[in-house]
Amino acid sequence: MYGFGTAAVRGRPSVLRKAVVALLLIAATPFVLTLIYTVVPPVSTPMLARWLTLRPVTRTWVPLANVSPALPRAVIVSEDARFCVHAGVDWQAISLVMDRDGGPNRGASTITMQVAKNLFLWQGAPYLRKPFEIVLAHWIDLVWSKRRVMEVYLNIAEWGPDGVFGAEAGARRAFGKSAARLSAREAAVLTAALPNPVLRDPKRPSRHASTLASVIIRRAGNAAGLTGCLAR
């Protein structure tokens, strides 16, 4: 009896050690993948979820040079006006949202934070997710250029129902043309579909989405200099 008890006690530290090592490896994975994704086109967790459940995914990766400048400009004025000046997290916006709404929501999420969430994290439970999102956003901003952040964002964003991801697939589905040929109006309609392109289908924009697109066009026209960090 004594011998068996001793073996059980001795076995516990080994199991605990293995559990700690496993957790550390899981925690390190996003940081390592970020380095790999500096040059390798990444896939997002929503894309992986669709593949794992045998649902279709449509995505054609294109470099930022093959995307109309109107689209990143529209995305910046709509989603993250301080994209070029913050270090992945806009603490000023987070503070304003916390004071106004009493909690985190999309209004406090920068483009970099959205990239971190879509690449490595889950979609719900923002109170639990935000701390991880913030840490990863700072890491991504440290490792990648702003141009790379925008390039990845435009290629992993969901832009239509039935698994349409990325600007190229979204533009071809909605307008029958490549992302490189998007007009300012079309770029604004795509941007207005965020964050829910299933309900706000850019191929059939609602009156509200069309009005929002007009606002985005007006803001983009008055946003000279906001996209300077995207230059090569």
Side-chain angles (χ1 to χ4, degrees), residues 196-217:
N196 195 331
V198 176
L199 296 179
R200 302 181 188 181
D201 188 347
K203 190 173 183 177
R204 290 177 286 273
S206 64
R207 180 179 299 179
H208 172 74
S210 297
T211 301
L212 181 56
S214 297
V215 173
I216 292 171
I217 291 172

Side-chain angles (χ1 to χ4, degrees), residues 37 42-49 51 59 115 117-120 156-157 165:
Y37 290 159
V43 296
S44 66
T45 52
M47 293 167 67
L48 289 171
W51 278 324
R59 198 276 292 269
V115 167
K117 177 187 70 175
N118 287 329
L119 285 184
F120 305 122
I156 66 173
F165 291 88

Side-chain angles (χ1 to χ4, degrees), residues 19-209:
V20 170
V21 170
L23 288 173
L24 288 175
L25 288 174
I26 292 171
T29 298
F31 296 92
V32 175
L33 285 176
T34 299
L35 297 173
I36 296 172
Y37 290 159
T38 302
V39 293
V40 175
V43 296
S44 66
T45 52
M47 293 167 67
L48 289 171
R50 291 189 66 87
W51 278 324
L52 290 172
T53 53
L54 304 180
R55 291 177 293 167
V57 170
T58 304
R59 198 276 292 269
T60 301
W61 179 278
V62 291
L64 192 59
N66 291 354
V67 176
S68 167
L71 186 56
R73 186 163 55 244
V75 166
I76 285 177
V77 300
S78 176
E79 299 286 294
D80 185 2
R82 287 168 46 82
F83 174 71
C84 283
V85 298
H86 62 62
V89 179
D90 189 348
W91 290 105
Q92 179 179 330
I94 288 178
S95 177
L96 289 173
V97 169
M98 291 292 289
D99 290 342
R100 184 178 68 244
D101 298 330
N105 62 16
R106 185 180 175 86
S109 291
T110 64
I111 288 170
T112 315
M113 290 169 69
Q114 292 177 50
V115 167
K117 177 187 70 175
N118 287 329
L119 285 184
F120 305 122
L121 302 173
W122 57 93
Q123 301 302 306
Y127 286 94
L128 180 62
R129 189 190 68 235
K130 282 294 179 183
F132 300 101
E133 196 175 300
I134 288 170
V135 171
L136 289 171
H138 278 305
W139 173 242
I140 289 171
D141 189 81
L142 178 66
V143 174
W144 294 356
S145 66
K146 293 288 188 180
R147 185 178 178 87
R148 181 60 174 176
V149 174
M150 179 59 69
E151 185 173 69
V152 170
Y153 177 83
L154 294 179
N155 276 284
I156 66 173
E158 191 170 6
W159 252 311
D162 302 319
V164 176
F165 291 88
E168 184 70 13
R172 291 192 179 278
R173 178 186 175 276
F175 307 112
K177 61 173 63 175
S178 69
R181 297 177 54 231
L182 288 170
S183 68
R185 178 72 190 180
E186 290 162 344
V189 169
L190 280 177
T191 302
L194 301 171
N196 195 331
V198 176
L199 296 179
R200 302 181 188 181
D201 188 347
K203 190 173 183 177
R204 290 177 286 273
S206 64
R207 180 179 299 179
H208 172 74

Side-chain angles (χ1 to χ4, degrees), residues 1-13:
M1 294 292 292
Y2 179 79
F4 283 117
T6 302
V9 171
R10 288 176 179 173
R12 287 172 191 165

